[in-house]
Amino acid sequence: MSQLALVTGGTRGIGAAISRELTHKGYRVIASYASNKEAARLFSAETGIQTIAFDIADENACKTAINYIETEHGSISMLVHNAGITADSTLEKMASDQWHRVIRTNLNSCFYLTQAVLDGMRAQNFGRLIYLSSVNGLKGQRGQCNYAAAKAAIIGFAKSIALEVANKGITANVIAPGYIDTEMVRAVPKPVLEKIIGTIPVGRLGTAEEIAHCVSFLADKHAGFITGSTLSANGGMY
Ligand code: CAA
């Protein structure tokens, strides 16, 4: 049977492109989503990819969902942790809830999901853990101290896990996308976004497919010697 991949936030934007790409690569893909049922239904109808709804910021929900997936479909061979949120504001104006929501969703979820999938990967002596960080986790971004802190922390997290599981055929890597043409980026105020695009040497936003291609590269069975690394795809921005 083909290997099983879980893509969080896998029904929209970058995650949807990743789900499609891994399906083409021969994986059985389960795409998770938080609450947008209609987008998930349309995505599933169009691609045939199965979806599951759970809150990645909730430890019990993660455990229950992974347990359910593995009982129904077998052990997960690849986790692509792509789901994340923004709640942009300068520090001066940031509410405590904006800080905690972003840290819980973007960072705590790495701990919950990885712990839940690792036993299955250890038993297979194979696994691919791929985490989506951001150029802003590398360089910082005005208005994103919460998001940048979580996205930078993901890199330290993945490097540490890489060391813990290297002898089990499991790799842990990070992709740090730049500004990609998604709903999240289109939500940035237009004049600000125009200034940001002006700082991208390639002169345009990236595409979700370009990030899916990075996942495909790290997912490959020949990528077993790449672990603890961060792959940037940001049009030369940083
Ligand atoms: N680069 C250049 N100029 C910027 C800037 C930036 N990144 N961010 C803000 N500015 C400029 C504004 O254009 C504005 O200039 P003027 O005074 O000349 O008009 C000035 O700084 C003040 O900005 P705002 O009026 O927007 O200030 P605010 O306090 O109302 O809002 C903010 C501040 C929330 C940071 C808002 O500017 C903003 O949303 N910035 C974008 C933050 C961002 O990049 N988010 C990325 C979301 S997508 C993502 O996160 C995906 C990923 O991984 C890359």
Side-chain angles (χ1 to χ4, degrees):
M1 209 176 1
S2 59
Q3 290 179 317
L4 184 65
L6 171 64
V7 181
T8 65
T11 64
R12 293 192 296 140
I14 293 175
I18 294 170
S19 298
R20 283 196 175 90
E21 172 75 20
L22 292 177
T23 304
H24 289 146
K25 240 181 125 65
Y27 277 84
R28 287 176 295 137
V29 173
I30 311 275
S32 87
Y33 66 99
S35 58
N36 193 333
K37 264 194 187 153
E38 185 53 13
R41 192 189 62 74
L42 288 173
F43 175 76
S44 197
E46 187 202 325
T47 60
I49 293 170
Q50 285 203 38
T51 63
I52 182 169
F54 65 94
D55 179 3
I56 56 166
D58 176 335
E59 182 165 15
N60 279 329
C62 290
K63 281 188 179 152
T64 306
I66 303 268
N67 191 27
Y68 171 79
I69 292 169
E70 297 205 319
T71 306
E72 291 289 308
H73 302 280
S75 290
I76 293 168
S77 301
M78 177 169 4
L79 168 69
V80 185
H81 186 18
N82 153 79
I85 58 166
T86 54
D88 294 354
S89 160
T90 53
L91 176 65
E92 201 183 2
K93 297 183 202 155
M94 187 174 289
S96 161
D97 175 62
Q98 280 174 290
W99 172 265
H100 290 292
R101 239 176 340 117
V102 169
I103 298 296
R104 268 202 313 271
T105 308
N106 296 4
L107 178 60
N108 293 0
S109 56
C110 293
F111 170 68
Y112 306 148
L113 292 163
T114 307
Q115 215 172 39
V117 298
L118 264 187
D119 276 351
M121 291 185 180
R122 281 203 186 93
Q124 297 170 70
N125 243 315
F126 178 85
R128 292 280 182 270
L129 298 163
I130 301 174
Y131 304 92
L132 275 282
S133 174
S134 163
V135 66
N136 292 342
L138 299 173
K139 73 168 187 55
Q141 168 61 44
R142 184 176 190 280
Q144 284 202 307
C145 67
N146 50 0
Y147 183 85
K151 292 297 187 180
I154 286 174
I155 294 172
F157 177 83
K159 281 177 191 269
S160 306
I161 304 303
L163 298 176
E164 293 182 17
V165 298
N167 62 350
K168 290 285 172 198
I170 305 168
T171 63
N173 291 290
V174 174
I175 297 165
Y179 281 73
I180 308 301
D181 191 1
T182 59
E183 271 174 48
M184 184 186 267
V185 165
R186 285 192 291 269
V188 172
K190 206 161 178 256
V192 177
L193 185 58
E194 274 165 12
K195 280 190 192 169
I196 292 172
I197 292 173
T199 68
I200 305 173
V202 165
R204 61 168 175 87
L205 296 174
T207 68
E209 289 69 28
E210 286 170 322
I211 302 307
H213 181 65
C214 298
V215 172
S216 179
F217 169 68
L218 291 172
D220 199 90
K221 66 176 192 296
H222 298 298
F225 206 57
I226 306 173
T227 194
S229 75
T230 301
L231 176 57
S232 278
N234 61 36
M237 187 184 205
Y238 185 72

